[in-house]
Amino acid sequence: MDPSNDTAQTWTIPDSMMNGRMCGKTFSLGSIMLFPQQEHTNYTDMASESGAQRTVKMYQLEPSSWLWGRQARKLINESVGTFLSLQTAITEAEPDRHNAVLVKKCREYRSIIQACQQDTKNLQQANENEKQNGKEPSTQEDLIILQDILYKMELILSLVELLFIDTMSDGHLLNQLVKWIQLHFPQHERKKGVVLESDRPHLHPDYWNTVYGSVLQGKLDDARLILSNHPSADTDPFLSIDELLRKMPFFQVYGGVSVGDFEARWQHWQSECERRLEEGHFASSHNLQAICKILCGDLETISKLMNLMDTWYHLMVSTLLFTKPTVKLFHLSNASQDAILRMQDQQVITALDHVLLAAMEADMYQVIKECQQVMDNPWFTTHLTDLLYHTVQHKGKHQVLPPLREYLLLDYAEMLAGHSSLWQVALLYLDHCGPRGMAMAQEALQRLPITSDSCAQKIIQMASEREFEGVVVSVCRVMGRRALSQGRLGAAIWWGMRSKDAAFTSHVAHQILHKYMSDGHFESSTLLDHLGPAMLLSDTLTFLGKYREFHVMYQEGRYEEAAALLVSLISSKLAPEYFWPVLLLDALPLLKAKEPVISSEQTYELMYILDTLTNTTRDKDQTKNEAAHVSFLDKEKEIRVALTHNLAQAIIHEGTVEN
């Protein structure tokens, strides 16, 4: 662990045997199995001293993240849709439309984060109500931490959007920076409502601070509204400051005014502010003087009001608003350093500040690196890097981003794959990671615990979509053997056919035949009726399918077809030898039919089989299928008589037909 990383934590395993050296083994994706490393002789010594062998425990360590919480699940489920649609939209869009697509998708990510923020806020409020009603609330501390993380993510993402992605404003950033500050520091907006709702607004303790805060955030209309509620609003000083606030120019990229013309207007307006200040228009009110000094860009006055600006970047934007209204990206590095220097006594630089500084310096790689220090999981950095990758892809810059993007996607997908209910989401990300992603997807599917038939079907579906035939076969084999161990022969043979495992399928088919010999009923007859080409997987399965077909023919009264099929099954040697007695017993009712349905040639074949079976039965110990053979031996004489009678009838019938 990096000792300089203030977010690193150390956990202690409460086991004295784990105090020494430990060994670790990767147990599954995102999971490590730990156990103490000690010499074998040590265990022997301990056993001899204590008289009993000590129990050695193994510990499975799995990563924990706020993403696994119920409140953050929406973040995962909705962001994957935005991620996939971004990949498709970028592929289909014309190059000149890439920027618009990226801005849209970035704002979708932001809206997802904001929705989670609102849900967390609502839950916090519900917890407060439960606490007041005497109920036990949920963990409030976790919600506060989650709210802070979501706020940081939205703050960073919105800054990255305006600095790197939404670059249609010809590099002029001030209006967007002002909106960024207004969105993330709404305290003056809230105070405005409180002040205006009071009986005498001008006597409210936050009256002038709210005015100053509104001016520093560029909300000049709000400042004018608050000032209009002052009893002296109709006096010359108030009317003069109101006019200056109303006439303050703002640069609009598409406003039809060039940068040079705007700067001339700006200088004229600010000169007017300075002139009125020098002429003493606001001498009667030091509060109005302070407002006018802010408009003049007086750094000393702005610095005195630092307590109204929570952070250095708020101070930076407020300063630029009144000193450099045509600021561009390359100006922000110096401006941010200057703001930090001015606020160094009031603010400690945090990991979040390093992220924002890297963004101000237009260093994408450093932004991603610093984000890793702020967040405890790769969700944010993964989606941020993907956005930046597509932003610079068509420009051919930042060659480090493609491999970094793939690495972060793999890291995020690995984390999801280790979760019991998010592995399907992981595969969707791995689809966009090239060959390494496909390899990890295959490995993840093979390591998933198969808890039910529906889970197996999901794994097979995902594997089939990606043409992972080995995974499909592996899952089917596992499910087939599980079904066989549970005595579900029909399910076992179905899984065996899906896995195309001839040996296993043949084994299950033998089991079904043995079961039929014992109770006279087929296991899963509906499945056997619809085997189709799959019955060709093994000889035993082929026989089983055809034998079931014989039964269907017999039940439908198609005796000649049934007889032909039965004899062919015997003569082709498809039938296992232990099943011959059953086939001869099945032939008995056909041999006794009034009209011969078994030809003389087929009768000779049955006679040959009967003699072979009789000799085999006498020569071998037939204890395995004793009941079946006893039944056959009891009816052997009856079968011989029926064969002789059928042969005579068939010869007469065949001779009559020929004549």
Side-chain angles (χ1 to χ4, degrees):
M1 251 184 278
D2 183 4
S4 64
N5 182 5
D6 57 1
T7 63
Q9 298 184 46
T10 302
W11 286 269
T12 302
I13 299 177
D15 188 338
S16 60
M17 295 190 69
M18 301 294 283
N19 292 336
R21 297 179 63 186
M22 291 180 286
C23 290
K25 181 76 171 66
T26 302
F27 185 66
S28 63
L29 288 174
S31 177
I32 300 176
M33 189 69 73
L34 291 178
F35 50 89
Q37 179 183 3
Q38 291 185 329
E39 297 294 334
H40 178 71
T41 54
N42 291 347
Y43 289 110
T44 306
D45 294 341
M46 287 190 304
S48 61
E49 292 174 4
S50 61
Q53 185 74 33
R54 288 187 61 182
T55 302
V56 179
K57 295 181 180 179
M58 302 178 70
Y59 295 88
Q60 183 177 350
L61 303 185
E62 295 180 345
S64 176
S65 171
W66 57 269
L67 277 179
W68 304 149
R70 180 170 56 88
Q71 293 77 28
R73 188 58 61 90
K74 177 189 291 186
L75 197 67
I76 297 175
N77 293 337
E78 295 190 10
S79 60
V80 65
T82 300
F83 172 81
L84 296 176
S85 62
L86 170 59
Q87 315 310 311
T88 304
I90 284 292
T91 304
E92 297 175 352
E94 297 294 330
D96 58 346
R97 290 286 303 160
H98 282 186
N99 218 56
V101 170
L102 289 167
V103 170
K104 178 183 177 183
K105 297 304 175 183
C106 183
R107 290 175 181 172
E108 284 185 19
Y109 283 128
R110 288 176 56 195
S111 66
I112 294 170
I113 296 173
Q114 289 167 356
C116 290
Q117 282 182 284
Q118 188 60 47
D119 290 346
T120 307
K121 184 178 179 181
N122 294 340
L123 189 56
Q124 283 180 294
Q125 184 61 45
N127 283 348
E128 289 294 334
N129 295 337
E130 288 181 1
K131 190 174 181 180
Q132 292 175 2
N133 295 333
K135 298 180 180 179
E136 187 66 26
S138 303
T139 307
Q140 194 77 351
E141 184 180 350
D142 292 344
L143 294 176
I144 294 173
I145 294 173
L146 176 57
Q147 186 78 345
D148 181 61
I149 292 174
L150 293 171
Y151 172 81
K152 290 176 180 177
M153 291 196 300
E154 208 283 326
L155 178 72
I156 296 170
L157 189 56
S158 56
L159 181 62
V160 168
E161 177 189 323
L162 70 92
L163 294 182
F164 301 118
I165 302 175
D166 190 10
T167 56
M168 301 298 288
S169 57
D170 196 28
H172 296 283
L173 301 167
L174 186 61
N175 288 346
Q176 292 167 292
L177 286 171
V178 169
K179 292 178 181 177
W180 178 61
I181 290 296
Q182 291 174 355
L183 176 64
H184 295 94
F185 296 93
Q187 64 270 29
H188 300 302
E189 180 71 22
R190 292 193 293 265
K191 286 182 180 179
K192 182 193 76 171
V194 174
V195 168
L196 293 179
E197 288 174 2
S198 62
D199 296 334
R200 304 174 72 180
H202 69 288
L203 296 179
H204 194 281
D206 289 329
Y207 179 82
W208 286 107
N209 281 344
T210 305
V211 175
Y212 298 148
S214 299
V215 173
L216 290 169
Q217 286 193 356
K219 295 184 175 182
L220 304 186
D221 289 338
D222 287 354
R224 292 176 61 204
L225 176 62
I226 299 171
L227 289 172
S228 68
N229 281 269
H230 197 280
S232 304
D234 294 332
T235 61
D236 288 342
F238 276 83
L239 292 174
S240 178
I241 201 70
D242 182 77
E243 181 184 6
L244 293 177
L245 292 171
R246 177 170 53 84
K247 290 184 176 180
M248 178 179 174
F250 288 91
F251 181 67
Q252 302 292 338
V253 177
Y254 304 108
V257 179
S258 66
V259 176
D261 290 342
F262 170 77
E263 289 180 342
R265 293 183 185 182
W266 170 266
Q267 292 173 2
H268 175 76
W269 170 80
Q270 205 161 57
S271 297
E272 179 65 17
C273 294
E274 294 170 354
R275 183 186 65 80
R276 294 189 185 187
L277 185 63
E278 291 173 358
E279 292 178 356
H281 285 212
F282 313 109
S284 61
S285 174
H286 70 277
N287 299 114
L288 297 182
Q289 275 186 343
I291 296 174
C292 189
K293 287 181 180 180
I294 294 173
L295 299 182
C296 293
D298 184 64
L299 296 181
E300 183 180 353
T301 302
I302 295 174
S303 297
K304 288 180 180 179
L305 298 172
M306 279 185 190
N307 62 312
L308 302 179
M309 295 168 280
D310 298 333
T311 61
W312 61 265
Y313 39 96
H314 190 171
L315 174 62
M316 180 195 75
V317 174
S318 296
T319 302
L320 292 174
L321 179 61
F322 299 103
T323 58
K324 197 173 186 63
T326 55
V327 66
K328 289 191 174 184
L329 179 58
F330 60 85
H331 295 129
L332 295 183
S333 178
N334 291 334
S336 59
Q337 294 295 338
D338 180 64
I340 291 174
L341 188 63
R342 290 163 60 193
M343 194 174 262
Q344 61 182 351
D345 295 333
Q346 300 187 26
Q347 182 180 4
V348 177
I349 300 301
T350 64
L352 173 63
D353 294 314
H354 287 297
V355 177
L356 301 178
L357 272 172
M360 301 292 183
E361 294 171 357
D363 190 341
M364 291 184 181
Y365 177 73
Q366 191 65 23
V367 169
I368 297 168
K369 181 180 177 181
E370 297 293 347
C371 281
Q372 291 283 67
Q373 304 298 322
V374 178
M375 308 302 166
D376 75 336
N377 67 85
W379 180 91
F380 181 72
T381 48
T382 298
H383 295 91
L384 174 64
T385 306
D386 182 60
L387 283 168
L388 294 176
Y389 162 75
H390 290 297
T391 300
V392 302
Q393 185 182 24
H394 62 285
K395 299 178 183 178
K397 300 178 181 179
H398 289 275
Q399 297 300 320
V400 73
L401 279 181
L404 179 59
R405 168 185 178 268
E406 181 177 321
Y407 168 79
L408 290 172
L409 283 172
L410 290 170
D411 189 28
Y412 178 56
E414 181 180 356
M415 184 184 72
L416 295 178
H419 194 275
S420 59
S421 61
L422 295 174
W423 60 268
Q424 296 177 74
V425 179
L427 295 181
L428 299 177
Y429 283 96
L430 292 173
D431 289 341
H432 299 275
C433 294
R436 293 175 64 190
M438 290 296 98
M440 180 178 283
Q442 190 165 357
E443 182 72 14
L445 286 172
Q446 287 176 337
R447 292 193 176 202
L448 285 171
I450 306 173
T451 56
S452 63
D453 285 2
S454 60
C455 177
Q457 294 288 5
K458 287 180 182 178
I459 296 174
I460 290 172
Q461 179 188 354
M462 289 289 191
S464 299
E465 290 173 356
R466 292 158 182 80
E467 299 181 354
F468 297 157
E469 190 61 29
V471 176
V472 175
V473 171
S474 176
V475 172
C476 290
R477 283 176 175 171
V478 170
M479 294 303 295
R481 280 158 178 75
R482 182 180 297 177
L484 181 61
S485 66
Q486 296 170 350
R488 298 185 296 125
L489 300 180
I493 204 164
W494 185 82
W495 286 113
M497 289 188 296
R498 288 208 63 176
S499 67
K500 298 179 182 178
D501 188 336
F504 177 74
T505 307
S506 180
H507 174 71
V508 178
H510 281 295
Q511 295 291 321
I512 293 176
L513 291 175
H514 283 299
K515 190 172 187 299
Y516 176 79
M517 293 175 65
S518 63
D519 59 19
H521 296 287
F522 275 113
E523 180 82 10
S524 301
S525 58
T526 304
L527 173 65
L528 298 178
D529 290 341
H530 299 86
L531 289 177
M535 72 169 65
L536 301 177
L537 189 60
S538 71
D539 289 346
T540 310
L541 183 60
T542 303
F543 166 74
L544 181 61
K546 289 296 182 181
Y547 183 62
R548 174 60 191 169
E549 190 177 331
F550 158 76
H551 275 270
V552 173
M553 290 179 179
Y554 188 87
Q555 291 168 2
E556 293 176 352
R558 297 152 54 193
Y559 299 122
E560 291 187 7
E561 295 178 42
L565 179 57
L566 183 65
V567 174
S568 68
L569 289 176
I570 298 175
S571 60
S572 64
K573 301 296 190 292
L574 271 178
E577 188 174 338
Y578 65 79
F579 206 74
W580 287 2
V582 179
L583 297 179
L584 289 173
L585 291 172
D586 287 334
L588 188 57
L590 296 173
L591 293 170
K592 292 181 177 180
K594 294 181 179 180
E595 295 293 331
V597 294
I598 299 179
S599 66
S600 58
E601 184 178 351
Q602 293 171 337
T603 306
Y604 285 129
E605 188 69 35
L606 291 176
M607 287 179 169
Y608 171 76
I609 293 297
L610 178 59
D611 289 339
T612 303
L613 181 60
T614 303
N615 294 333
T616 303
T617 304
R618 289 171 181 168
D619 296 340
K620 295 182 180 179
D621 182 15
Q622 298 290 344
T623 57
K624 184 176 180 181
N625 295 304
E626 185 177 355
H629 283 275
V630 168
S631 177
F632 165 72
L633 292 174
D634 289 344
K635 294 189 176 183
E636 179 184 355
K637 184 175 181 181
E638 184 179 352
I639 294 172
R640 289 187 181 278
V641 173
L643 284 170
T644 305
H645 178 72
N646 184 80
L647 179 61
Q649 276 193 319
I651 292 173
I652 295 172
H653 178 74
E654 291 167 6
T656 304
V657 171
E658 288 178 3
N659 292 332

